[in-house]
Amino acid sequence: WSSQESLFPYKNGTAGRILHAIQTSQIALVDNAPKGTQLKLLLLLEGKQKIYFKPKRYNLNHVINGNIYGGYDRHNSEVFAYYLAMVLNFRWIPPSVTRRVHLHKHIIPVATMGLKRTMVKNDSGSMCIYGKCFYCRINETVCPDGSGEIEGAAILFLDGQFKTHKSPWRRSYSSRKMEWEIDDDFCKKVKGSISTKRLLNLIDVSIFDFLIQNGDRHRYEVYKDQIILLDNGKGLGNPKIDVMDILAPLYQCCIISPSTWHNLELVSGGVLTDTIKLLSAVRERVLASEDHFKAVERRLLKVYATVQYCIGKHGRAKVFKNGYV
């Protein structure tokens, strides 16, 4: 499916057909996902296509306080990220859509023994799942709602071999400051270790992450020399807060791809979130609270302001990079 310009086909309605299949295809087998820090299931659909299923942990209006990387993954952040990427023309992201599965009709009959061993009954007698992962705990379960269903993000499983790299702008996940947090000239060191193309790609990713406030991209995966936008569940935590250091690659390096800037300019004045709402309305009920949509628009203005700051400091010719080293 992948080409030189995208991870999945997106023309002539193909993207919509992929989402429809992810959302509605019959489930043939369900197991715990083999690795990761958060509870997620691996679903084998008819036709032998695999998807990850990240279950809903919070209501859409729940606010995550504390660290930018705190809390469980938000299933709606995964889906919101897919639509955001499509609107911004970032085509290197796996398709993701909200799906509801009935525990006793769709999961238990086709569950592996390994998954069944990570199921327990809660105090009201409902069967719940705690899964198998680094942070999974038997007292932190996902349970079906009143209709017996579990809602979650269904994400197309990528069965490829990706090269994984540590992000130069990764966090320490402690009180210790990383080099990029204390060195104003940190970007010079980064420029000496990666190509301009990769640096521009990292800056694109930082803008994307800033808009949804995903402060947890400590590593990144590469395929065909493009960064794949995987694991977007730490976004949409607190709509009242904008952690500016997620934008550090942009304001420390002060360069941006002209095509990225053009795409950002096209979605000003509310167009970005209006388009996400319009596109997602076909398959989704509500992707996020209105506060989160407003927050994305507010952060977009801060991206514009950061680029204008860079232009004022270095001039347009140095900020808008076309050439790759």
Side-chain angles (χ1 to χ4, degrees):
W1 279 357
S2 64
S3 66
Q4 294 303 316
E5 61 178 18
S6 66
L7 189 61
F8 294 95
Y10 61 94
K11 296 178 180 177
N12 303 318
T14 306
R17 290 194 292 274
I18 292 172
L19 293 180
H20 177 74
I22 295 172
Q23 196 172 43
T24 62
S25 292
Q26 186 173 336
I27 301 169
L29 188 73
V30 187
D31 197 1
N32 285 307
K35 55 186 177 181
T37 61
Q38 303 268 327
L39 167 59
K40 58 179 180 283
L41 303 179
L42 183 64
L43 277 56
L44 180 67
L45 306 179
E46 58 182 356
K48 297 186 178 181
Q49 180 62 60
K50 300 174 187 174
I51 61 172
Y52 278 134
F53 183 78
K54 283 192 176 183
K56 174 182 177 179
R57 289 286 200 172
Y58 305 108
N59 292 323
L60 296 186
N61 59 357
H62 183 86
V63 174
I64 304 293
N65 293 304
N67 291 325
I68 186 64
Y69 48 82
Y72 297 115
D73 279 6
R74 277 72 78 180
H75 78 293
N76 62 312
S77 179
E78 292 280 4
V79 182
F80 191 100
Y82 172 71
Y83 285 102
L84 173 65
M86 291 298 98
V87 175
L88 293 178
N89 213 24
F90 293 173
R91 300 173 186 158
W92 297 86
I93 185 171
S96 179
V97 68
T98 303
R99 179 165 181 163
R100 295 178 64 85
V101 292
H102 196 284
L103 182 65
H104 289 279
K105 293 178 182 178
H106 302 142
I107 295 181
I108 291 178
V110 292
T112 64
M113 285 305 300
L115 176 58
K116 287 179 179 178
R117 281 194 290 267
T118 64
M119 292 182 179
V120 293
K121 285 187 176 181
N122 64 10
D123 293 340
S124 61
S126 294
M127 190 65 79
C128 304
I129 303 170
Y130 64 89
K132 185 179 180 181
C133 66
F134 187 79
Y135 290 119
C136 287
R137 302 289 184 269
I138 196 169
N139 61 336
E140 297 179 4
T141 57
V142 169
C143 303
D145 60 18
S147 61
E149 293 182 319
I150 297 175
E151 180 179 307
I155 309 159
L156 198 55
F157 177 81
L158 303 182
D159 208 7
Q161 295 297 313
F162 304 123
K163 293 181 179 178
T164 302
H165 304 267
K166 290 181 179 178
S167 170
W169 284 277
R170 64 189 178 277
R171 300 178 184 278
S172 68
Y173 297 91
S174 70
S175 58
R176 179 173 61 91
K177 293 282 188 181
M178 298 296 282
E179 188 176 358
W180 63 269
E181 295 177 281
I182 54 179
D183 183 0
D184 291 337
D185 293 322
F186 178 73
C187 190
K188 291 180 181 178
K189 296 179 181 178
V190 178
K191 287 179 178 178
S193 62
I194 61 175
S195 68
T196 302
K197 179 180 180 180
R198 178 62 52 80
L199 180 57
L200 288 169
N201 205 177
L202 282 167
I203 290 168
D204 285 351
V205 173
S206 76
I207 293 170
F208 174 85
D209 283 339
F210 177 72
L211 292 175
I212 60 173
Q213 288 289 285
N214 174 20
D216 193 38
R217 204 174 295 280
H218 48 92
R219 65 179 185 181
Y220 60 90
E221 290 80 13
V222 174
Y223 181 64
K224 290 191 174 182
D225 205 28
Q226 290 283 345
I227 297 175
I228 308 296
L229 294 167
L230 295 177
D231 291 334
N232 305 301
K234 280 293 195 289
L236 306 185
N238 190 334
K240 302 299 183 185
I241 292 176
D242 302 340
V243 176
M244 292 302 299
D245 67 13
I246 300 174
L247 268 187
L250 175 61
Y251 63 69
Q252 288 183 346
C253 299
C254 267
I255 58 172
I256 187 172
S257 162
S259 61
T260 298
W261 181 241
H262 175 68
N263 292 334
L264 289 169
E265 286 188 307
L266 287 176
V267 294
S268 64
V271 172
L272 176 57
T273 53
D274 283 350
T275 308
I276 291 173
K277 289 177 181 178
L278 189 66
L279 288 175
S280 63
V282 178
R283 307 211 169 272
E284 309 290 339
R285 281 176 289 185
V286 181
L287 269 186
S289 69
E290 195 58 35
D291 282 346
H292 279 299
F293 280 106
K294 291 177 181 177
V296 169
E297 290 294 339
R298 181 183 70 239
R299 293 166 193 148
L300 180 60
L301 294 178
K302 293 184 178 181
V303 174
Y304 293 151
T306 303
V307 174
Q308 293 300 333
Y309 156 79
C310 289
I311 292 172
K313 187 175 181 180
H314 301 286
R316 294 182 67 88
K318 289 188 177 180
V319 173
F320 296 116
K321 283 281 189 180
N322 268 319
Y324 297 151
V325 175

